[in-house]
Amino acid sequence: MNKPTLLSRIQGCLLGVRIGDAMGVPWEMYARDQIMEETGGKGVTGFQNSKNRRFEEMRDLALGEISDDTIFTDVVVRSLIRCKGFDLGDSAREHLAAFEGPIFGMGRATRSGLQSLKEGRDPLTPAPDMKPGKGSGNGVIMKVSGLALFHAVTHGPFSDGFKREPLFMQVMQLGRMTHPDPRASLAAYAVARIIATVLHDPVPSPGVSPSKYDWHVDGLLGDLAQEITHIEDGLMYGVSQFSDDPLSWRLGRLSVDGDALVYDREALRKEIGTACFALESGPFAIGTFLLNPTNFKSGVLEAINAGGDTDSNASIVGALIGANCGAEAIPQDWIRFNPKFQEAFGLGEALCKAALTT
């Protein structure tokens, strides 16, 4: 297979969001043992329905239908295309337009944040605080792929002087618009940073060149964990309030010498977690991606069969692997399963063109 083009990686990322989202919808909030019991120990192997979807609003959705993960990813992408860059006000208007229609699977923080925007809150004003422990869900992580892709195209590879601060600030602004807990946005930035990195410097297959893979993963995780630690400590970008339950600890656990979770699927699932909490989903998705950097099918199914927030986790993993390997790495029968998935090709092309002409 030829090396994927930049356009293919962008399209692969947006396809990954759609396919992971749609495939994970029927199993959202199932525990792993429940998935295994219902599938006779085989696990989910493709587009298939659970016997009883956990969320009533999603029970009548056709198999292969998308949820909020894809809808809000597209919201951000369309705004980037129209404005040829990030514009919080325009993105907020696009969010509110989508909010008027049916959106399946939307979390409480997103719903509350958009409702307050509808009532007149300025998008630059952070979303109102919720109860302690709330407002830190996956609603930011699931929609930042477009920001990462656009930024990577306009700024080039990290090794060529990639400017990280603008991407961080954009993710924080977008995130705080709906999620009051800044950890949700920080976890989203960690995922966005990985997407932006692999778009130009993909992670190799662990089976083809183990030593090259180990070196690549160690550098990627080490650099990310260090940056996140500095952000949490208020040493980068002038943002603090990240002291409680630090994301850096979980990222560090992915790459600790001797018992690195990035080499242990079961330990990754059990120790990091798979729930709809950004500090679980972000590191879990990154770890699952690094276990399957060039195998789209394996990575997405692994994210679903781990249980928990299956649609968001699988969409994040799908975005990461798609950006790493391009659209060619995604099974054709999965791409064709729902005609809506094809929209990723046109959106990806428009996003790439807008970024290249900025």
Side-chain angles (χ1 to χ4, degrees):
M1 182 184 296
N2 294 328
K3 182 179 178 181
T5 63
L6 180 66
L7 174 59
S8 175
R9 294 184 191 279
I10 292 171
Q11 292 170 329
C13 182
L14 298 180
L15 277 168
V17 171
R18 285 163 162 70
I19 292 171
D21 173 22
M23 194 174 288
V25 160
W27 304 96
E28 186 174 8
M29 302 319 295
Y30 267 69
R32 176 177 169 78
D33 59 351
Q34 292 172 322
I35 293 175
M36 290 301 154
E37 180 180 357
E38 188 165 317
T39 58
K42 296 179 181 179
V44 178
T45 58
F47 287 99
Q48 59 193 88
N49 262 320
S50 61
K51 292 179 182 178
N52 183 23
R53 299 188 184 190
R54 292 288 189 256
F55 294 98
E56 185 175 356
E57 67 173 1
M58 301 169 80
R59 286 177 187 163
D60 294 329
L61 285 181
L63 187 61
E65 276 299 315
I66 58 173
S67 74
D68 59 328
D69 302 82
T70 300
I71 291 170
F72 285 121
T73 294
D74 288 358
V75 158
V76 176
V77 168
R78 285 195 296 266
S79 178
L80 288 165
I81 293 169
R82 179 169 51 252
C83 300
K84 289 195 172 183
F86 179 65
D87 183 308
L88 184 64
D90 186 81
S91 186
R93 288 188 290 274
E94 191 77 26
H95 275 75
L96 289 174
F99 192 45
E100 294 299 320
I103 301 176
F104 303 103
M106 184 164 38
R108 281 175 290 183
T110 299
R111 190 179 300 277
S112 174
L114 292 181
Q115 182 60 39
S116 67
L117 283 177
K118 186 176 179 180
E119 292 169 359
R121 175 174 59 88
D122 189 312
L124 283 170
T125 302
D129 285 337
M130 303 174 72
K131 294 179 181 179
K134 303 298 182 182
S136 56
N138 293 332
V140 189
I141 302 180
M142 69 185 192
K143 63 184 179 184
V144 296
S145 299
L147 280 179
L149 296 170
F150 194 95
H151 203 79
V153 174
T154 56
H155 289 85
F158 273 56
S159 58
D160 293 344
F162 184 92
K163 296 179 180 178
R164 303 175 187 181
E165 184 176 3
L167 177 59
F168 172 78
M169 292 303 185
Q170 289 171 11
V171 171
M172 290 300 298
Q173 283 190 1
L174 182 69
R176 297 301 295 274
M177 186 176 74
T178 52
H179 286 63
D181 190 330
R183 296 176 300 172
S185 301
L186 187 61
Y189 171 67
V191 171
R193 189 183 183 286
I194 296 288
I195 291 174
T197 302
V198 302
L199 199 71
H200 295 291
D201 189 15
V203 178
S205 169
V208 175
S209 179
S211 60
K212 184 178 179 181
Y213 168 80
D214 290 344
W215 176 85
H216 200 116
V217 169
D218 285 347
L220 186 65
L221 288 175
D223 192 34
L224 175 63
Q226 182 180 51
E227 182 181 1
I228 296 298
T229 299
H230 288 164
I231 293 171
E232 290 172 335
D233 292 342
L235 300 176
M236 293 183 73
Y237 313 139
V239 180
S240 56
Q241 302 177 349
F242 295 113
S243 58
D244 294 337
D245 195 5
L247 174 64
S248 56
W249 181 86
R250 286 176 165 83
L251 292 174
R253 282 295 293 122
L254 294 180
S255 57
V256 173
D257 290 339
D259 62 348
L261 298 182
V262 76
Y263 299 110
D264 189 333
R265 288 168 166 81
E266 186 173 1
L268 173 68
R269 173 176 57 84
K270 290 181 176 179
E271 186 168 330
I272 298 299
T274 63
C276 50
F277 174 40
L279 266 64
E280 291 188 17
S281 282
F284 171 76
I286 291 171
T288 302
F289 157 61
L290 293 174
L291 282 162
N292 308 272
T294 59
N295 192 326
F296 185 90
K297 184 175 183 179
S298 176
V300 167
L301 292 178
E302 193 167 305
I304 294 170
N305 285 312
D309 194 2
T310 52
D311 58 336
S312 292
N313 291 341
S315 73
I316 299 165
V317 171
L320 287 160
I321 302 176
N324 196 58
C325 298
E328 297 91 337
I330 303 175
Q332 285 297 311
D333 57 330
W334 286 10
I335 294 175
R336 293 192 297 265
F337 193 86
N338 183 342
K340 292 181 181 178
F341 297 166
Q342 307 292 323
E343 295 171 2
F345 289 103
L347 272 179
E349 185 173 0
L351 183 68
C352 186
K353 182 179 179 180
L356 288 172
T357 57
T358 297

